[in-house]
Amino acid sequence: MEIIRTNHSGGVVAPFPAVAVRNLQVRYRSVLALQDVSLTLVPGQLVGVFGPNGAGKSTLMKAMLGLVPIESGTVLYQNRPLTQQLEQVAYVPQRSQIDWTFPATAWDVVLMGRVRKSGYLTRFSATSRQRAMEALERVGMADLRDRRIGQLSGGQQQRVFLARALAQEATLFFLDEPFVGVDQKTEDILFSCFRELVSLGKIVMVVNHDLGESITQFDRLLLLNRTLVADGSHQQVLTPEVMSRAYGGQVNFFTGQIA
């Protein structure tokens, strides 16, 4: 299958690729989950990864972060293995992978994002507490900081985990389906935070299953179906021809329905 690639402009120009994925291949037993995926992420871009169910979207993100073993290929950040520099990464997994019965408050969760900065066996500094509070305020959750995470709504839970990511003061942000089960207010807050991050030269990569209007808010789309089908702006990727190649049918972009 021929991959559609485009040149990208805008954002912060790096002297070399910030994240370079080359010929990435992942296999689950006998099933080939990802085949020969290559892409480059540069600072200052909001990148959305989407495709059919089972296309390998979450697998791609997890493989890049070393959370699942790769069969072949490389993932480099500034010409060094990304897995050796995970202190630069803030990762928000799917909500289904989080134990919401764990007896932690929103404040506890956000402070966890400061562990690497403060040290694993030391008390949180005044600076770390300030950063955690600023992050909670940024996502509108400061008033609920003492509430247990299991008592929060889906949107509130997602905002808390975004706040934890913000508190990490990372360079690379990876979020796996953060818009699932959230309200419009939370979606607006997430996109607003993403925009602030990319304006600071960060990389934000988001796995997204929704083909609604929000997909047009990404600077760049990676259309995946085990291999990289298309890579470009939403005007370049969301065409009937390209979508048909990935989904095997006609797709209504703003309803997500496949004919």
Side-chain angles (χ1 to χ4, degrees):
M1 180 179 293
E2 180 185 0
I3 298 173
I4 299 173
R5 299 187 186 277
T6 64
N7 293 326
H8 308 289
S9 60
V12 177
V13 178
F16 44 77
V19 178
V21 179
R22 295 292 177 261
N23 308 115
L24 191 65
Q25 193 151 297
V26 176
R27 188 183 301 273
Y28 294 130
R29 296 182 180 176
S30 62
V31 177
L32 192 60
L34 289 177
Q35 181 177 9
D36 196 29
V37 173
S38 295
L39 58 96
T40 299
L41 305 179
V42 299
Q45 283 190 336
L46 175 56
V47 180
V49 182
F50 75 112
N53 290 335
K57 302 181 295 294
S58 296
T59 297
L60 171 61
M61 184 170 285
K62 291 177 180 178
M64 290 173 65
L65 300 178
L67 299 175
V68 297
I70 64 174
E71 183 175 78
S72 60
T74 59
V75 182
L76 304 180
Y77 172 51
Q78 298 183 348
N79 296 323
R80 292 175 50 214
L82 177 58
T83 53
Q84 296 178 10
Q85 305 173 79
L86 293 180
E87 70 279 0
Q88 302 289 342
V89 172
Y91 169 61
V92 178
Q94 293 182 18
R95 290 181 59 250
S96 61
Q97 298 178 3
I98 298 170
D99 179 8
W100 298 109
T101 66
F102 190 77
T105 65
W107 176 245
D108 295 331
V109 170
V110 178
L111 270 180
M112 291 176 190
R114 298 297 302 178
V115 168
R116 281 178 173 162
K117 298 285 187 182
S118 297
Y120 289 92
L121 300 176
T122 61
R123 297 181 63 181
F124 290 109
S125 65
T127 297
S128 285
R129 291 177 178 276
Q130 180 181 349
R131 294 290 180 270
M133 182 55 68
E134 289 170 350
L136 279 168
E137 290 172 347
R138 176 64 187 85
V139 300
M141 290 297 296
D143 290 344
L144 297 177
R145 62 184 178 276
D146 295 325
R147 187 166 298 183
R148 291 199 174 188
I149 55 173
Q151 298 173 335
L152 300 173
S153 69
Q156 291 169 339
Q157 290 171 343
Q158 196 67 309
R159 280 189 267 160
V160 167
F161 273 80
L162 175 59
R164 184 186 70 168
L166 296 175
Q168 287 180 243
E169 298 183 297
T171 304
L172 311 173
F173 290 78
F174 293 85
L175 299 95
D176 195 351
E177 298 200 356
F179 300 110
V180 172
V182 305
D183 53 279
Q184 188 61 50
K185 178 180 179 180
T186 296
E187 182 175 309
D188 292 342
I189 289 173
L190 264 60
F191 272 117
S192 176
C193 289
F194 296 162
R195 283 284 157 220
E196 288 183 11
L197 290 169
V198 298
S199 72
L200 296 172
K202 311 289 187 179
I203 289 175
V204 183
M205 182 175 179
V206 179
V207 169
N208 185 37
H209 81 293
D210 184 15
L211 293 180
E213 293 185 19
S214 64
I215 201 168
T216 63
Q217 295 202 45
F218 292 96
D219 300 320
R220 177 180 170 193
L221 295 174
L222 304 176
L223 177 54
L224 200 68
N225 193 351
R226 299 195 180 184
T227 188
L228 189 58
V229 177
D231 176 356
S233 68
H234 67 269
Q235 294 96 336
Q236 294 160 327
V237 173
L238 300 180
T239 67
E241 177 187 359
V242 173
M243 297 295 283
S244 178
R245 288 170 56 188
Y247 287 85
Q250 294 183 347
V251 179
N252 185 320
F253 302 135
F254 299 133
T255 67
Q257 295 180 343
I258 303 172

